[in-house]
């Protein structure tokens, strides 16, 4: 049971990170109708920025704050230079263009930071384990991730649901042309939304960095699950992304933790050992396929699409 | 009416015909060049170009002409490759068994995936094809007997009686012949009644249904043909590299195929070949010039996406199918 709680918390933690990525993706998808394959690159940039700034300032928190600001700026600059020109084109041009950006960023990181990965080390107070229910020691940093990302999710909720900017964002997600026609500076809004998405991705990258190593290609591996979350949740829906992210995170983690034992009950040890990793890696894609066949618009389709 | 015939009406020397004919001639002469210049690497590189061109061509059939943007086409490539690799490992070396199995396995995969995916549209179609390809990727990673994540070396190329595929020239011309045959096949399909229904469904599906065509079935058949053709490319690729691994099916490989098709020009018969050649030659050429080839290749793709409508083929001007 304790093991289950631990794995469940791990699943929540993965889900929250996926949510940070998916929230940006789904906004960019829903508002600008842009398939952004380079979103994973911003995740990677966030991690590299944080590792660098943390080394300069000797402070994890300061490094993290600077890294978020840096990815925000990088995202807005990227939008103004390149992404802006892809709006209104078909999805294939998006795939081609942002695939090019993905190659570019991987190579740029290799040029600037070198081919070897980096590590982002934690302050010592986050390295301890916390006893949550009696007997379960859980790494403090993973709890920090859950709490901080929940706070960010809450902030995002307030921003989107309770502010004027958020109102424009929501309006943009349901009817872009009308927002433009009503005299809103849609170009600026797009740049801000892209920057916000970039900052969220960069934040996800730097939060994940101490657990995994900071390396080239880290964005590619997480990008596809993030897309899965966006599609399951319904394109353009932040609420959908939140629910789907937790669902995907928990299913993926629980599957990895318990499938081997479960299969072992019915199959030989060898077969179970072979099958379990493949099956658990597939689980989220199966989930997505099932959701799409049953509800082609995702769980929470954004209004007006 | 075919684009070739359209071109011919503008005289026999329209730029597109000259370029395409020149391309075929150059490709036919690559082994001659390699023999005289003593450059065996040219054979390796160009064999790969031919094989990837077949794969991109098959993708273009569904994507360019059918409007079905599959982001998981590399799965078919991988299934074809794994069919060859698995049979070779199990001691069945005959190409007469391996290749048909590769083609049929990919076709069956395409049938199942197509039947499920073709119910969705637009971005959802892109994402669900991607999801299925990811599943195949993880299945391949889990095949411990066949190398798992690390992949599997194929010690003997497919055996075709007296023909020895280890002979680089023979293998090259086999790929070349298969590419030309595939282009002819796709050309025939696109210009048949079947192909017109597919293209009609791309531009206005409700209308095609209203006219009385069961578009779902037409699209599905088209999807399966493309899968089968890509399976053949996979069998060739496994023989070319003597190696299979899940990396063949990573989603970025599917991205590469899309890039090749779009880069060359999607609505053109020779577009995928031009795109595959441009992409792979650029990749190769840039890596000679700089240690960071993608620093140039990436922005180049972005520029093509933003400014060049209709890919490289679009630069040739003249009448194009819309």
């Amino acid at each position: 049971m304790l093991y289950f709680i631990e794995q469940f918390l791990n699943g929540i933690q993965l889900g929250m990170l996926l949510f940070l990525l998916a929230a940006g993706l789904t906004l960019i998808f829903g508002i600008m109708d842009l398939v952004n394959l380079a979103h994973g690159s911003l995740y990677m940039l966030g991690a590299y920025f944080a590792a660098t700034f943390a080394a300069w300032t000797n402070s994890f928190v300061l490094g993290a704050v600077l890294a978020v600001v840096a990815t925000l700026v990088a995202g807005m600059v990227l939008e103004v230079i390149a992404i802006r020109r892809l709006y209104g084109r078909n999805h294939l041009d998006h795939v081609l263009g942002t695939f090019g950006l993905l190659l570019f960023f991987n190579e740029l990181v290799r040029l600037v930071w070198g081919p070897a990965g980096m590590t982002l080390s934690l302050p010592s107070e986050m390295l301890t384990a916390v006893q949550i229910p009696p007997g379960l020691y859980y790494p403090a940093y993973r709890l920090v991730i859950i709490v901080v990302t929940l706070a960010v999710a809450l902030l995002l909720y307030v921003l989107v649901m309770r502010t004027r900017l958020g109102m424009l964002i929501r309006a943009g997600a349901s009817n872009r042309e009308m927002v433009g026609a009503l005299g809103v500076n849609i170009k600026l809004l797009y740049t801000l939304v892209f920057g916000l998405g970039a900052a969220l991705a960069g934040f996800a990258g730097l939060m994940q960095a101490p657990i995994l190593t900071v390396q080239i290609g880290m964005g590619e591996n997480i990008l596809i699950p993030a897309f899965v979350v966006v599609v399951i949740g319904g394109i353009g829906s932040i609420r959908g992304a939140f629910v789907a992210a937790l669902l995907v995170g928990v299913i993926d983690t629980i599957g990895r933790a318990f499938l081997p034992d479960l299969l072992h009950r019915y199959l030989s040890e060898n077969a179970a050992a072979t099958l379990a990793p493949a099956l658990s890696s597939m689980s989220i894609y199966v989930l997505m396929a099932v959701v799409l066949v049953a509800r082609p618009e995702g769980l929470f389709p954004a209004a007006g699409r | 009416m075919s684009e070739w015939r359209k071109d011919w009406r503008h005289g026999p020397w329209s730029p597109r015909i000259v370029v395409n004919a020149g391309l075929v001639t150059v490709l036919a002469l690559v082994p001659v060049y390699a023999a005289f210049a003593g450059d065996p690497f040219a054979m390796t590189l160009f064999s790969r170009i031919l094989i990837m061109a077949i794969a991109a061509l098959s993708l273009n059939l569904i994507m360019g002409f059918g409007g079905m943007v599959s982001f998981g086409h590399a799965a078919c490539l991988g299934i074809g490759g794994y069919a060859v690799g698995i049979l070779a490992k199990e001691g069945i070396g005959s190409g007469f068994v391996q290749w048909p199995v590769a083609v049929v396995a990919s076709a069956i995969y395409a049938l199942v995936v197509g039947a499920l995916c073709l119910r969705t549209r637009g971005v959802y179609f892109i994402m669900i094809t991607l999801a299925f390809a990811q599943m195949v990727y993880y299945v391949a990673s889990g095949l411990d007997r066949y190398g798992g994540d690390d992949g599997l070396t194929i010690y003997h190329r497919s055996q075709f009686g007296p023909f020895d595929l280890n002979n680089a020239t023979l293998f090259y011309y086999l790929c070349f012949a298969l590419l030309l045959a595939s282009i002819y096949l796709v050309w025939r399909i696109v210009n048949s009644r079947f192909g017109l229904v597919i293209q009609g469904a791309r531009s206005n599906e409700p209308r095609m249904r209203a006219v009385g065509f069961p578009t779902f079935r037409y699209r599905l058949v088209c999807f399966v043909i493309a899968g089968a053709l890509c399976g053949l490319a996979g069998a060739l690729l496994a023989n070319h590299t003597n190696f299979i691994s899940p990396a063949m099916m990573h989603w970025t490989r599917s991205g590469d195929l899309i890039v090749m098709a779009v880069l060359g020009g999607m609505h053109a018969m020779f577009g995928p070949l031009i795109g595959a050649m441009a992409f792979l030659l650029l990749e190769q050429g840039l890596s000679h010039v700089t240690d960071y080839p993608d620093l140039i290749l990436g922005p180049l793709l972005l520029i093509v996406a933003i400014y060049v409508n209709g890919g490289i083929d679009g630069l040739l001007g003249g009448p194009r199918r819309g």
Side-chain angles (χ1 to χ4, degrees):
Chain A
M1 193 57 206
L2 284 181
Y3 182 59
F4 181 82
I5 295 175
E6 188 184 346
Q7 290 303 323
F8 187 78
L9 282 173
N10 282 345
I12 299 277
Q13 179 243 310
L14 174 65
M16 290 310 296
L17 282 171
L18 282 174
F19 168 70
L20 290 181
L21 272 169
L25 262 185
T26 206
L27 281 178
I28 292 167
F29 226 148
I31 298 179
M32 287 91 106
D33 194 26
L34 177 90
V35 180
N36 182 18
L37 296 181
H39 206 68
S41 303
L42 297 161
Y43 169 87
M44 174 177 71
L45 275 185
Y48 271 95
F49 280 145
T52 310
F53 291 144
W56 282 354
T57 59
N58 262 327
S59 155
F60 176 77
V61 178
L62 205 58
V65 171
L66 284 175
V68 170
V69 175
T71 23
L72 175 81
V73 173
M76 293 190 3
V77 169
L78 179 66
E79 201 270 352
V80 171
I81 293 177
I83 299 288
R84 175 173 286 187
R85 293 166 220 284
L86 287 168
Y87 299 149
R89 308 292 288 271
N90 65 37
H91 290 138
L92 271 177
D93 285 337
H94 298 164
V95 170
L96 184 66
T98 56
F99 194 73
L101 283 174
L102 182 157
L103 295 177
F104 172 77
F105 277 116
N106 277 345
E107 207 74 310
L108 185 70
V109 165
R110 198 156 71 90
L111 178 72
V112 175
W113 281 281
M118 295 174 86
T119 49
L120 175 57
S121 40
L122 288 166
S124 53
E125 59 265 32
M126 288 191 204
L127 283 172
T128 52
V130 182
Q131 188 170 359
I132 323 166
L136 173 64
Y137 287 91
Y138 198 70
Y141 181 65
R142 284 179 184 266
L143 275 185
V144 169
I145 293 184
I146 295 177
V147 172
V148 172
T149 47
L150 264 176
V152 170
L154 202 68
L155 267 178
L156 195 64
Y157 175 83
V158 171
L159 174 75
V160 172
M161 302 308 274
R162 292 282 179 270
T163 65
R164 185 165 172 80
L165 178 66
M167 192 178 73
L168 292 177
I169 290 177
R170 276 180 294 137
S174 24
N175 195 335
R176 272 179 292 161
E177 288 78 13
M178 188 53 83
V179 177
L182 290 174
V184 174
N185 184 346
I186 203 93
K187 268 192 166 172
L188 183 66
L189 180 68
Y190 284 2
T191 308
L192 285 177
V193 169
F194 196 88
L196 177 67
L200 287 172
F203 184 62
L206 75 91
M207 289 307 275
Q208 184 72 314
I211 298 178
L212 304 168
T213 48
V214 182
Q215 57 185 352
I216 295 163
M218 63 189 281
E220 269 101 288
N221 296 330
I222 196 109
L223 177 70
I224 303 303
F227 266 117
V228 168
V229 167
V230 168
V231 170
I232 290 179
I235 292 171
S237 161
I238 292 190
R239 190 169 50 130
F242 186 77
V243 175
L246 290 181
L247 206 60
V248 165
V250 169
I251 286 181
D252 188 71
T253 311
I254 296 287
R256 270 169 221 283
F258 293 98
L259 258 183
D261 286 343
L262 199 69
L263 285 178
H264 191 197
R265 286 192 198 166
Y266 305 100
L267 297 167
S268 73
E269 189 162 357
N270 229 339
T274 313
L275 211 57
L279 275 182
S280 49
S281 303
M282 281 166 62
S283 58
I284 60 170
Y285 301 103
V286 176
L287 176 72
M288 167 167 150
V290 170
V291 167
L292 276 193
V293 169
R295 291 179 69 112
E297 300 269 281
L299 292 178
F300 298 88
R305 283 184 69 88
Chain B
M1 185 174 290
S2 86
E3 79 193 39
W4 286 4
R5 273 180 247 154
K6 268 193 207 160
D7 272 1
W8 279 105
R9 248 196 291 159
H10 291 252
W13 302 112
S14 83
R16 181 167 293 108
I17 290 197
V18 172
V19 166
N20 291 346
L23 205 60
V24 172
T25 316
V26 166
L27 287 173
L29 293 177
V30 164
V32 180
Y33 159 79
F36 275 106
D39 183 4
F41 181 69
M43 294 287 280
T44 313
L45 176 62
F46 274 86
S47 300
R48 187 176 174 80
I49 288 176
L50 295 176
I51 295 167
M52 295 316 283
I54 297 178
L57 181 76
S58 71
L59 175 62
N60 193 39
L61 174 63
I62 48 175
M63 193 170 80
F65 295 106
M68 296 170 260
V69 182
S70 166
F71 205 157
H73 209 57
C76 293
L77 202 62
I79 290 173
Y82 267 82
V84 169
I86 290 174
L87 287 173
K89 164 107 178 169
E90 301 302 340
I92 302 168
S94 167
F96 293 112
V97 179
Q98 287 179 352
W99 292 27
V101 168
V103 170
V104 171
S106 291
I108 291 174
Y109 168 77
L111 180 69
V112 174
V113 170
L116 290 169
C117 298
L118 285 170
R119 295 174 199 286
T120 60
R121 288 285 167 274
V123 178
Y124 292 99
F125 183 81
I126 299 181
M127 290 301 149
I128 197 167
T129 46
L130 173 66
F132 279 105
Q134 290 290 97
M135 290 183 211
V136 179
Y137 174 85
Y138 287 115
V139 169
S141 307
L143 293 174
D144 279 345
R145 183 171 164 75
Y146 306 108
D149 272 327
D150 301 329
L152 177 71
T153 303
I154 299 172
Y155 292 102
H156 301 287
R157 286 189 173 180
S158 304
Q159 286 143 21
F160 283 98
F163 302 106
D164 182 10
L165 293 192
N166 288 310
N167 180 333
T169 313
L170 183 103
F171 184 71
Y172 180 86
Y173 278 116
L174 177 68
C175 296
F176 185 57
L178 285 172
L179 172 67
L180 292 185
S182 309
I183 292 179
Y184 178 70
L185 175 78
V186 171
W187 179 62
R188 285 299 298 266
I189 292 175
V190 167
N191 289 293
S192 66
R193 179 175 174 281
F194 173 82
L196 290 176
V197 176
I198 293 294
Q199 292 174 75
R202 181 192 72 208
S203 33
N204 193 340
E205 201 190 349
R207 185 166 171 181
M208 288 308 285
R209 269 211 302 270
V211 175
F213 289 104
T215 49
F216 177 79
R217 263 183 269 161
Y218 276 87
R219 281 166 170 253
L220 185 58
V221 170
C222 187
F223 199 79
V224 171
I225 294 172
L229 191 56
C230 196
L232 177 68
L236 284 170
L237 190 62
N239 274 288
H240 178 56
T241 53
N242 294 318
F243 181 68
I244 48 168
S245 79
M248 292 170 83
M249 301 185 252
H250 195 255
W251 70 267
T252 48
R253 296 285 82 73
S254 296
D256 285 348
L257 287 178
I258 292 184
V259 166
M260 287 174 196
V262 179
L263 184 64
M266 278 205 305
H267 305 308
M269 213 49 75
F270 279 80
L273 170 60
I274 297 174
M277 199 159 157
F279 186 74
L280 293 172
L281 284 182
L282 263 177
E283 208 175 53
Q284 194 62 42
L286 287 173
S287 68
H288 282 299
V289 185
T290 154
D291 286 338
Y292 302 97
D294 287 352
L295 223 46
I296 299 164
L297 187 63
L300 216 58
L301 295 181
L302 182 67
I303 287 169
V304 170
I306 294 174
Y307 295 107
V308 186
N309 212 348
I312 297 173
D313 181 84
L315 296 174
L316 300 174
R320 288 195 309 121
R321 49 180 70 248

